[in-house]
Amino acid sequence: MNNLSEVTHIDNVKLSDDGTKVIIIDQTKLPNITEYLTLGTDKELYDAIYELKVRGAPAIGICAGYGIYILARQIKANDYNSFYEEFKAAKDYLNSSRPTAVNLSWALNRMEKVVTSHKEKSVKEIVSLLEVECKAIHEEDIKMCTAISEYGLSLIKDGDGILTHCNAGPLATSRYGTALGPLFLGKEHGMNFKVFSDETRPLLQGARLTSYELSKAGIDVTLICDNMASIVMKNGWIQACFVGCDRIAANGDAANKIGTSGVAILAKHYGIPFYVLGPTSTIDLSCKTGDDIEIELRDPNEIKEKFYKEPMALKEVKCYNPAFDVTDHSLITGIVTEKGICYPPFHESINALFQGKLCF
Ligand code: MRU
């Protein structure tokens, strides 16, 4: 991956040519090793999602769509009820791999609907329809990311300093990405931004993935520790914050990688616009507010030892390791989707978005 288009068009998740496996880039090995993994069983798919080998809300959804399709192909049953029973068990298993990114259940529910709305068809025909659906989920995400990138680019100008947290680039989505999409698109148009990438403790997505993608694409990126966001804002180096999202509630509260809400609080303090960028598939109207969003808790060893040569805390020390936090809607300047940009009051603009009435 050595130039802009190689970065923006990377195949991070795809179906194998014979349609029996899902192929992903192992994101846990980046930036040092680019290794592709071939996933063929329910356990391999579950582990790849749980261990963040494939990660980022939209990429998880795409992987789950392909994943449930290849598992459906493996079901031997010929009658609908037995087929559906096995399909549902596989779906529920994949769905339990990570709780916060709604794109996982969104994609799996879409695939299940294909099954339940074609009961009269043969199992073979249903499996063919599942193939069409999982490919459509991927194709749609490519289009959504492009549209989000265009809307996002309209919010910034050449030379701006942009702060981002975690990774919402091509590795986390398909093609340009969401929060990073406008920066890649701007680069294509000859624009130059100065991007500050939070390293994003504890799993270092900002260091390992965001600074890697931007740097390989020739975009000016400066890696900072999470606790340095305040000083770069105070220095006047940041004109906007762009972050991705894992689930957005109906009132605009947005769950994203742990630390995002702290960035939003700082941005408010320094009067810097704070934008959340994500596809409408990340908006979950069944969550009225952020309080309804389940926050994933992860292994304390990710804090104590994962990226160190030896443990940095005593074994007996307790750790609290939430993978996400919720940014209150009052801290968000705008939510950039493929259908347009929602502005406060978000409960109204998000509602208008789903009625097809919002036009940026
Ligand atoms: O735990 P991760 O790495 O899957 O968390 C990812 C994020 O929080 C991203 O910012 C979010 O999924 C948006 S990706 C376009």
Side-chain angles (χ1 to χ4, degrees), residues 52 54-60 98 101 165-169 172-173 177-179 203 205 209 243-246 255-258 260 277-279 296 298 323-324:
L52 274 64
V54 54
R55 52 145 298 284
I60 293 171
R98 293 191 77 189
H165 190 78
C166 195
N167 172 262
T173 60
T178 53
L203 292 181
Q205 290 91 333
L209 308 172
V243 299
C245 47
D246 287 84
N256 191 49
K257 180 51 52 189
I258 189 71
T260 303
L277 298 90
E296 176 182 11
R298 293 186 63 89
F324 301 94

Side-chain angles (χ1 to χ4, degrees), residues 202-249:
L203 292 181
L204 307 182
Q205 290 91 333
R208 294 186 301 105
L209 308 172
T210 298
S211 68
Y212 164 75
E213 287 181 325
L214 293 169
S215 163
K216 289 283 178 191
I219 295 175
D220 181 329
V221 57
T222 304
L223 180 63
I224 56 172
C225 298
D226 299 338
N227 51 9
M228 298 168 189
S230 175
I231 193 167
V232 297
M233 289 185 186
K234 188 170 184 198
N235 288 349
W237 296 346
I238 308 297
Q239 279 64 56
C241 298
F242 276 7
V243 299
C245 47
D246 287 84
R247 195 182 291 240
I248 299 178

